[in-house]
Amino acid sequence: MNLRTLTPLLVSLMTGIPSAVLAQTAEKSAAQAPSTVQGIAPLPGQPNLLASGVPSIPPELRKRVLQYLESRAANLMDVSRDGKQMLIATRFADTNQLHVVEQPLGARFQLTFTPEPINTARFLPTDANILFFLQDVGGGEFFQVFRLDRRNGRSELLTDGKSRHESLSVSDDGRWLAYGGTGRNGKDTDVYVAPTDNPKQARRVTEAEGSWLPLDFSHDGSKLLVMQFRAADDADLHVIDVKTGERRQLTPKEGKGSVNGAALTPDGKSVYLVTDRYGDFAALYKLDLDKAPPSSEPPSLTKSIRWNVESIELSPDGKTLALETNEDGYSRLYLMDTKRGTLSPVEVPRGVMGRLTFPSGRSDVLSYALSTSRSPMDVYQVDLRTKKSTRWTRSEVGGLDTSTFVEPELVHYKSTEGVQVPAFLYMPRERKGKVPVVIVFHGGPEGQSRPNLSTFNQFLAVELGMAVLVPNVRGSEGYGKAYRAMDDGVKREQSLADIGASLDYIASRPELDASRVGVYGGSYGGYMVLATAAFFPERIRAAVDVVGISSLPTFLQNTQAYRRDLRRAEYGDERKPEVRQVQERISPLNAVERIKAALFVQQGANDPRVPQSEAEQIVKAVRARGADVWYMLALDEGHGFGKKANRDTVTMATFLFLEKHLGAPSSTTGSIR
């Protein structure tokens, strides 16, 4: 569907965004050319997807890929108070929409039918017929808060339709709704609280510089935990009196650390906090509100676990704390007896967990989502008495036999300065001689590649016979705060050595062909792709950059205002001459004369994080040297590709590109532009 061809009134009716806002957006779009790249044109039948230099997709490749593109997942949004309804986001048409499942492996009953995806939603605990959700338009990430009444199927816009909102939270007593929003000045994110019986009457309970986000209400709704976020390694926890607005900081003003999770006890007198403030890994602590911030380091409740605690959920009766840990990329689930402080593991499939949540009215069951390397994200419920899990959803993978999928090997290899890079290696089962390799870099930079299902990786390994190396280079989350900080600011220059280490590791494996290597990555991973092409030009043949950074200074200057200071904390402040000098030196745009690999750039026109200009300046600079560059631009996408039709086309084009340059050349005729 092409939103640009619809009237603002019609789109308003479909999305809930005020028609005046949409009209202004349409006028601005009409006055500007969609791209500065010469020769770019819409694809046949997909007017919102523009391409330049991209060959047509051969029918035989399209047929091979089709089933892999039909994989879907069930992402857990919430569970009803009685634990008998699971609210999930899954895709049956073009985008993720909200569904309810009312029994294990029961039918998925669809609640929303909109052209834009929905990936955050909560039940009103006192009435499961009422939902609150976040939704944006065109991937721009200016999310709005909506209220859905399941009795009539109608959604109502609750926010202003133009500022950005995030982090929905609803109190267990059903009285209060909280979220973060940039309505005050478009730059800072404040916390808003609204009564659920009159949710348009929201009031700001924080009004300060930076990013402030709600985390958890007390059981009676009188208190709200709020995080002040500056960077992944620098956040503070505050508690706010919902009625008076009085705010008090709970973490020490000295020093810094992360806030990975927090939960108030039912009596409202204590808070469980997950932070790496007191050690290299994020651990669990309990703070007495009357004595917070603590004058000395509190005792860790998870000192037996030398990995990050990633998330926590406290049962309504306060007797059980569920916590998920990230152990070398794999999730583990533990239950803590809060009275005794004892931890007991819960057996779950070996994979990666999503959301954990207790029903607000029950303490005997816990719902969670989980994906493995061979199965998509699905929803489970564990009985705390027996510790047995019941599967509630079984998501399809295009009818494929997933037993043929590859289980990755966890490997580690040396880089400079004593760094050991952890990585997952997917090897094709059937191979004759050395196989080509695709390195897949994650985004973030403080992201982490983990062994959940990637049909992209599986197609490369199973169908194209390529190995896939997925490294977690220094700066990645999951391996302690010292490792995460190794690429901060000007230290990013040293982190590029991990690219060389990855290429050296490929050369060290006799079954891998170091002469046929490609790189793929999105966002910061896209920067790593371009950096590989620019600074290791002799060692790769193909590079696929998805919404990636081509110049660190121009990225920081042009990213949305609400993100700029957060990103400066990670990349360094480009306004400082000594910092900018390093950023310029390691920016691929300034080394285009060295790029030899074939290049494929993919971009969303509405990307608020890495703007379209980052893609187009590298495309034009490399093409100016006479190189053949493929470029695809989605007019209705932002930071990535959320709509199935767009995602399918760019994915097939990516496989065509990689097969052409790393495998046997594909026979193609014609061109889509």
Side-chain angles (χ1 to χ4, degrees):
M1 180 175 295
N2 185 353
L3 292 183
R4 295 189 176 206
T5 65
L6 301 177
T7 66
L9 177 59
L10 180 55
V11 178
S12 177
L13 292 172
M14 295 167 61
T15 64
I17 305 298
S19 57
V21 174
L22 290 164
Q24 292 172 3
T25 303
E27 288 174 7
K28 181 179 179 181
S29 298
Q32 299 173 346
S35 173
T36 61
V37 172
Q38 289 187 353
I40 198 164
L43 298 186
Q46 287 184 268
N48 281 337
L49 193 57
L50 280 56
S52 175
V54 183
S56 57
I57 309 299
E60 59 271 21
L61 176 62
R62 186 182 298 273
K63 184 177 180 180
R64 290 167 70 190
V65 178
L66 185 62
Q67 287 181 279
Y68 288 84
L69 300 176
E70 292 304 324
S71 175
R72 58 177 144 248
N75 298 295
L76 179 61
M77 301 288 99
D78 205 357
V79 60
S80 62
R81 176 183 285 275
D82 60 8
K84 295 182 179 180
Q85 297 183 64
M86 299 286 186
L87 180 63
I88 65 171
T90 191
R91 178 196 59 77
F92 273 81
D94 196 39
T95 59
N96 273 1
Q97 296 296 307
L98 298 179
H99 297 69
V100 163
V101 181
E102 297 182 332
Q103 63 183 22
L105 300 182
R108 291 161 284 195
F109 183 77
Q110 189 164 343
L111 303 179
T112 58
F113 299 81
T114 72
E116 302 292 343
I118 302 174
N119 291 300
T120 301
R122 298 289 182 267
F123 281 120
L124 178 64
T126 52
D127 183 358
N129 285 311
I130 301 297
L131 309 175
F132 298 96
F133 65 89
L134 291 172
Q135 188 177 39
D136 71 343
V137 173
E141 298 187 10
F142 279 76
F143 299 99
Q144 304 303 315
V145 182
F146 294 83
R147 178 184 183 272
L148 169 65
D149 189 334
R150 293 169 59 187
R151 285 175 284 253
N152 59 26
R154 298 303 182 103
S155 297
E156 179 186 16
L157 176 67
L158 303 180
T159 43
D160 61 12
K162 57 184 179 180
S163 53
R164 184 179 187 273
H165 305 85
E166 58 184 313
S167 301
L168 273 184
S169 183
V170 185
S171 62
D172 287 346
D173 63 3
R175 289 189 300 155
W176 302 107
L177 169 70
Y179 51 84
T182 60
R184 178 166 55 90
N185 60 15
K187 176 179 178 292
D188 300 309
T189 301
D190 300 311
V191 175
Y192 291 77
V193 172
T196 55
D197 59 359
N198 193 8
K200 289 188 176 181
Q201 298 302 311
R203 59 187 173 90
R204 284 192 294 271
V205 294
T206 66
E207 193 166 309
E209 185 178 5
S211 294
W212 297 73
L213 301 170
L215 294 181
D216 184 53
F217 281 99
S218 61
H219 190 65
D220 63 1
S222 65
K223 299 183 181 71
L224 176 64
L225 291 178
V226 168
M227 174 175 63
Q228 181 185 10
F229 184 85
R230 303 180 193 87
D233 64 346
D234 188 9
D236 280 302
L237 185 67
H238 301 251
V239 63
I240 290 176
D241 185 296
V242 173
K243 287 187 177 180
T244 67
E246 179 187 356
R247 171 166 55 88
R248 184 159 61 93
Q249 185 168 327
L250 302 179
T251 45
K253 297 184 182 299
E254 305 78 20
K256 66 178 184 178
S258 65
V259 174
N260 288 28
L264 283 157
T265 56
D267 61 10
K269 296 181 179 180
S270 303
V271 61
Y272 288 100
L273 169 65
V274 178
T275 180
D276 61 13
R277 177 179 287 269
Y278 304 107
D280 194 36
F281 288 91
L284 177 68
Y285 303 89
K286 187 178 182 181
L287 307 180
D288 185 338
L289 292 192
D290 290 337
K291 300 177 182 178
S295 57
S296 59
E297 179 181 334
S300 168
L301 303 180
T302 52
K303 58 185 176 182
S304 62
I305 302 173
R306 193 186 167 275
W307 292 100
N308 277 347
V309 176
E310 285 217 320
S311 61
I312 59 172
E313 281 293 316
L314 185 62
S315 62
D317 62 11
K319 295 180 180 179
T320 305
L321 185 77
L323 55 97
E324 177 236 334
T325 61
N326 174 355
E327 304 188 8
D328 227 345
Y330 290 93
S331 293
R332 293 200 66 187
L333 177 62
Y334 295 87
L335 299 176
M336 172 178 284
D337 182 319
T338 58
K339 184 176 181 180
R340 297 180 177 85
T342 54
L343 281 171
S344 56
V346 177
E347 291 298 321
V348 299
R350 192 166 188 251
V352 181
M353 300 189 77
R355 179 172 165 79
L356 300 173
T357 185
F358 280 98
S360 59
R362 294 179 62 180
S363 298
D364 61 326
V365 292
L366 172 73
S367 299
Y368 64 91
L370 182 139
S371 170
T372 75
S373 59
R374 296 180 183 176
S375 61
M377 187 72 74
D378 272 312
V379 176
Y380 300 78
Q381 192 172 75
V382 60
D383 186 317
L384 269 59
R385 294 163 296 188
T386 64
K387 294 186 181 177
K388 299 295 183 183
S389 291
T390 300
R391 188 170 188 162
W392 274 65
T393 65
R394 188 182 301 276
S395 296
E396 300 84 355
V397 190
L400 292 167
D401 178 7
T402 56
S403 68
T404 65
F405 285 3
V406 175
E407 184 78 25
E409 174 189 1
L410 177 61
V411 300
H412 299 80
Y413 46 86
K414 292 181 180 179
S415 185
T416 58
E417 302 174 301
V419 169
Q420 287 279 335
V421 178
F424 292 96
L425 177 64
Y426 295 76
M427 287 293 296
R429 291 182 176 179
E430 298 181 8
R431 53 186 184 269
K432 296 179 181 179
K434 293 187 174 186
V435 298
V437 187
V438 178
I439 304 174
V440 177
F441 292 110
H442 67 68
E446 60 278 77
Q448 183 186 17
S449 292
R450 304 183 66 180
N452 46 8
L453 177 65
S454 166
T455 54
F456 180 87
N457 293 347
Q458 294 293 346
F459 186 87
L460 289 173
V462 176
E463 301 291 338
L464 298 185
M466 298 179 183
V468 184
L469 182 66
V470 189
N472 284 301
V473 298
R474 72 186 81 182
S476 299
E477 186 60 89
Y479 307 97
K481 67 182 182 183
Y483 191 81
R484 186 184 62 212
M486 282 184 176
D487 69 343
D488 288 354
V490 296
K491 291 185 289 185
R492 194 161 310 281
E493 187 166 23
Q494 284 71 48
S495 75
L496 298 182
D498 294 353
I499 297 174
S502 300
L503 295 166
D504 291 344
Y505 175 75
I506 291 170
S508 75
R509 296 278 299 235
E511 64 271 56
L512 303 180
D513 189 346
S515 70
R516 291 190 294 162
V517 177
V519 285
Y520 175 95
S523 191
Y524 179 73
Y527 164 79
M528 292 292 282
V529 163
L530 295 174
T532 306
F535 305 122
F536 300 86
E538 307 291 344
R539 304 187 68 178
I540 66 165
R541 287 191 181 185
V544 183
D545 159 31
V546 184
V547 298
I549 301 165
S550 58
S551 167
L552 292 169
T554 60
F555 154 67
L556 290 168
Q557 290 164 11
N558 297 324
T559 192
Q560 282 283 339
Y562 70 87
R563 290 180 46 82
R564 191 168 294 121
D565 288 341
L566 299 176
R567 294 297 79 198
R568 282 171 174 156
E570 172 68 32
Y571 294 100
D573 191 335
E574 81 288 357
R575 297 168 298 184
K576 298 178 179 179
E578 67 277 13
V579 174
R580 189 180 185 109
Q581 183 178 21
V582 176
Q583 291 176 343
E584 296 281 10
R585 189 162 60 236
I586 64 174
S587 290
L589 183 65
N590 297 332
V592 290
E593 72 282 354
R594 301 180 60 184
I595 294 177
K596 296 182 178 181
L599 180 61
F600 186 6
V601 177
Q602 303 166 10
Q603 181 67 37
N606 304 320
D607 193 338
R609 305 187 192 193
V610 180
Q612 180 181 339
S613 54
E614 289 297 305
E616 304 212 338
Q617 64 189 11
I618 194 72
V619 168
K620 290 187 290 185
V622 176
R623 278 190 174 173
R625 297 178 50 249
D628 179 24
V629 181
W630 296 13
Y631 179 48
M632 297 189 87
L633 173 69
L635 301 180
D636 55 346
E637 299 281 11
H639 197 61
F641 295 82
K643 296 180 172 65
K644 186 177 186 300
N646 296 334
R647 190 168 61 247
D648 288 357
T649 300
V650 297
T651 300
M652 286 187 285
T654 300
F655 290 143
L656 176 64
F657 178 81
L658 293 173
E659 190 172 32
K660 173 183 177 181
H661 294 287
L662 304 183
S666 300
S667 57
T668 61
T669 58
S671 174
I672 44 181
R673 194 57 195 162

